[in-house]
């Protein structure tokens, strides 16, 4: 299995990091291929909890080369804070590679993110305010600054100064506040000096590694339904988390990929705005009793922004679509243990619209906002899944849910999450 892609199948926070950590044991390189520090990836090892935003989740293993691929937008202050925290906890980041083609995030991107959200008012996307959208917009406008540019310090400083002045003019015209240009130049001159040793031609390095027999894991952030093309536009992020994005964002080709693992939570969560058919909310828009139970038991608060996540039942219409657009070979079903105390568990199998059944996932958010979920109701298992080490250890009612998912979406569930810790997982042979 030389190249494996791990991709979120819902709206993020499915537990990708835990599965990546698990799969990292058998891989030599773990490559982030899109997104930036809008991601919050949590790995729990014994009493230690690691919250990662930019550094690939394979970093905890000494044999793994963590790579920030060309498709990522990199916030250098965050990256160094993360590296310092990891190193202070005994995790070496010396092997980290940052693609020379990756675009950098600057303070004006965050300022534009906040201004744009402010202008949208009640219609805001609910972004993480990390400057992700504006950084990708600059990349598309061909005015972005790439990591490789730090290698010529003098030119880099001039470019940052020029771009900062240009962006100040735009920020002020939009009603924002001008940034301190020379403070930014000084800060990024120092950061450029520090990042330079990590900057590499990761595309050729990964191909060389592959030719030498390496096993490479491509780590998706965000998820299929936050994808800028396939998600619930405009309530999406500004990159392509889908498996196809793993090629563009790493430089490996489609024929290099041998395995695509979709991560699905046993229920659904979403942070920020946008349609959510199976959401468990009352008429007041607040979580209902079961929705609140999922928040409390599943600790559904964002790691990056601390926002409460919206919660709802598992949606197999979404999952079937995720199988299609990502060519999933399998699914890892995480956080099944969160449902341990539920009397019954619902799973959405279809969408009804204006009296008829919809074929396929709607292509427009306006339509998605109107669908009515059709549910299958399964009995709960009312017992703890913790400690299960084989699929046959799971209670029959939990196995029934897993089998319903497999039958409905057409690919096997190869892993089942039974708790937050590294080994709280049942892997099916
Ligand atoms: P990611 O963004 O997809 O990597 O997911 P996050 O790390 O943001 O959120 C997943 C949360 O669920 C983290 O706090 C994980 O420690 C936790 N988690 C992952 N898998 C499981 C599981 O199977 N059971 C439970 N109870 N928690 C899990
Ligand atoms: P991980 O990798 C959940 C959401 C934001 C917002 C939308 C756009 O941890 O699964 P952005 O700042 O990207 O422009 O925000 O996307 N969002 C996430 N939601 N998990 C994430 O990452 C997310 N990254 C962005 O809440 O709705
Ligand atoms: Mg997350």
């Amino acid at each position: 299995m030389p190249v494996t892609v791990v991709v979120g199948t819902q709206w993020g926070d499915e537990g990708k990091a835990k599965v990546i950590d698990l799969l990292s044991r058998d891989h030599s390189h773990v490559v982030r291929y899109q997104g930036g520090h809008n991601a919050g990836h949590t790995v729990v090892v014994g009493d230690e909890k690691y919250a990662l935003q930019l550094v690939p989740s394979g970093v905890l293993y000494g044999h793994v080369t963590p790579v920030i691929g060309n498709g990522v937008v990199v916030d250098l202050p965050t990256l160094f804070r993360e590296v310092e925290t990891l190193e202070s906890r005994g995790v070496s980041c010396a092997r980290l590679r940052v693609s020379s083609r990756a675009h950098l995030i600057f303070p004006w991107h965050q300022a534009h993110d906040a201004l744009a959200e402010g202008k949208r008012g009640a219609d805001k996307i609910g972004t993480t305010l990390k400057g992700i959208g504006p950084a990708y917009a600059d990349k598309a406008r061909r005015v972005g600054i790439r990591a490789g540019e730090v290698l010529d310090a003098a030119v880099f400083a001039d470019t940052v100064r020029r771009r900062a002045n240009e962006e100040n003019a735009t920020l002020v015209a939009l009603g924002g506040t001008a940034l301190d240009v020379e403070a930014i130049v000084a800060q990024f001159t120092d950061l450029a000096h520090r990042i330079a040793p990590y900057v590499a031609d990761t595309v050729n390095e990964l191909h060389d590694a592959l030719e030498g027999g390496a096993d490479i894991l491509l780590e998706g952030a965000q998820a299929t339904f936050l994808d800028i093309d396939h998600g619930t536009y405009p309530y999406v992020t500004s990159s392509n988390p889908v498996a196809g994005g793993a090629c563009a964002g790493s430089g490996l080709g489609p024929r290099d990929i041998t395995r695509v693992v979709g991560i699905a939570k046993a229920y659904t969560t979403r942070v920020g705005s946008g349609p959510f058919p199976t959401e468990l909310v009352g008429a007041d828009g607040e979580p209902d009793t079961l929705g609140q139970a999922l928040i409390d038991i599943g600790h559904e608060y964002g790691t990056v922004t601390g926002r409460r996540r919206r919660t709802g039942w598992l949606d197999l219409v979404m999952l079937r679509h995720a199988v299609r657009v990502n060519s999933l070979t399998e699914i890892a079903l995480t956080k099944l243990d969160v449902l341990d105390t539920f009397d019954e568990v619902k799973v959405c199998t279809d969408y009804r619209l204006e009296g008829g059944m919809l074929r396929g996932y709607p292509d427009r958010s306006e339509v998605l906002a109107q669908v009515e979920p059709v549910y299958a109701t399964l009995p709960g298992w009312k017992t703890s899944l913790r400690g299960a080490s084989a699929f046959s250890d799971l209670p029959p009612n939990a196995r029934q849910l897993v089998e319903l998912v497999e039958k409905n979406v057409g690919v096997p569930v190869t892993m089942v999450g039974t708790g937050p810790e590294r080994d709280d997982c049942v892997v099916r042979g």
Side-chain angles (χ1 to χ4, degrees):
M1 285 290 181
V3 182
T4 298
V5 181
V6 172
V7 59
T9 62
Q10 296 158 325
W11 281 295
D13 304 319
E14 297 91 348
K16 296 177 289 292
K18 188 186 131 180
V19 175
I20 290 156
D21 171 76
L22 194 75
L23 293 173
S24 293
R25 293 174 185 169
D26 304 323
H27 291 82
S28 54
H29 297 68
V30 179
V31 187
R32 268 285 300 272
Y33 60 83
Q34 46 66 234
H37 63 314
N38 47 348
H41 295 173
T42 312
V43 182
V44 181
V45 185
D47 294 337
E48 297 285 324
K49 188 170 173 176
Y50 299 91
L52 304 164
Q53 287 179 264
L54 272 168
V55 175
S57 305
V59 69
L60 303 180
Y61 293 97
H63 70 273
V64 168
T65 300
V67 178
I68 294 182
N70 58 274
V72 176
V73 284
V74 182
D75 187 73
L76 291 175
T78 304
L79 179 62
F80 282 112
R81 264 199 306 279
E82 202 171 314
V83 165
E84 278 160 21
T85 306
L86 285 165
E87 300 224 311
S88 72
R89 298 174 69 182
V91 178
S92 169
C93 295
R95 302 170 317 280
L96 179 69
R97 316 296 280 155
V98 177
S99 171
S100 50
R101 293 179 172 93
H103 281 248
L104 300 179
I105 296 186
F106 289 91
W108 54 83
H109 294 130
Q110 275 126 20
H112 276 298
D113 205 348
L115 263 179
E117 283 287 86
K119 279 191 194 305
R120 290 183 76 106
D123 201 24
K124 68 176 187 213
I125 308 290
T127 76
T128 59
L129 300 177
K130 301 293 182 190
I132 306 296
Y136 278 115
D138 275 6
K139 175 176 173 175
R141 291 198 302 133
R142 293 158 293 184
V143 295
I145 303 176
R146 308 208 292 184
E149 295 182 51
V150 305
L151 299 176
D152 188 334
V155 175
F156 179 74
D158 284 348
T159 311
V160 173
R161 183 175 291 108
R162 178 176 52 77
R163 289 289 301 122
N165 279 313
E166 286 168 4
E167 290 302 326
N168 264 352
T170 326
L171 284 171
V172 171
L174 290 170
T177 315
L179 302 167
D180 181 340
V181 174
E182 287 314 313
I184 293 174
V185 173
Q187 181 193 12
F188 278 81
T189 299
D190 175 52
L191 290 166
H193 178 71
R194 292 172 67 194
I195 195 68
Y198 299 97
V199 174
D201 176 359
T202 55
V203 175
N204 276 313
E205 284 190 1
L206 288 173
H207 279 280
D208 290 344
L210 207 52
E211 282 164 23
D215 291 303
I216 299 176
L217 193 58
L218 303 180
E219 169 176 357
Q222 290 82 52
T224 304
F225 293 92
L226 287 174
D227 184 282
I228 191 159
D229 287 283
H230 300 286
T232 47
Y233 193 88
Y235 304 104
V236 293
T237 192
S238 298
S239 65
N240 286 117
V242 293
C247 292
S250 68
L252 298 179
R255 287 194 298 124
D256 294 324
I257 293 171
T258 41
R259 183 182 181 193
V260 186
V261 184
I263 314 300
K265 216 176 317 206
Y267 49 98
T268 310
T269 64
R270 170 163 212 170
V271 205
S273 320
F276 183 169
T278 66
E279 186 171 14
L280 287 161
V281 275
D284 57 358
E286 288 296 305
D288 67 15
T289 312
L290 291 173
Q292 189 61 45
L294 289 172
I295 294 166
D296 294 339
I297 303 169
H299 305 292
E300 296 298 350
Y301 292 90
T303 27
V304 174
T305 57
R307 287 177 292 174
R308 186 176 72 192
R309 295 175 183 146
R310 299 159 63 193
T311 51
W313 295 119
L314 180 62
D315 184 338
L316 298 182
V317 187
M318 289 175 82
L319 235 56
R320 288 198 294 269
H321 196 64
V323 170
R324 283 187 158 178
V325 297
N326 296 297
S327 301
L328 297 186
T329 55
E330 63 202 90
I331 281 175
L333 193 67
T334 62
K335 302 189 87 162
L336 191 60
D337 56 293
V338 172
L339 303 172
D340 281 353
T341 55
F342 280 57
D343 293 327
E344 52 185 33
V345 175
K346 288 192 182 184
V347 175
C348 167
T349 56
D350 292 284
Y351 292 159
R352 192 179 287 125
L353 183 69
E354 292 162 359
M357 291 297 195
L358 265 193
R359 269 178 61 83
Y361 194 80
D363 56 348
R364 290 184 296 131
S365 294
E366 299 75 23
V367 177
L368 185 66
Q370 289 167 31
V371 302
E372 187 197 328
V374 177
Y375 289 109
T377 304
L378 287 82
W381 43 94
K382 309 280 279 177
T383 175
S384 172
L385 300 184
R386 285 281 178 98
S389 57
F391 189 66
S392 53
D393 291 344
L394 298 178
N397 289 352
R399 289 206 304 264
Q400 193 190 343
L401 191 153
V402 174
E403 281 155 8
L404 173 76
V405 172
E406 289 183 319
K407 192 162 157 259
N408 223 281
V409 306
V411 296
V413 172
T414 55
M415 287 172 255
V416 177
T418 56
E421 283 192 34
R422 190 177 248 178
D423 292 314
D424 289 338
C425 188
V426 170
V427 180
R428 289 166 91 186

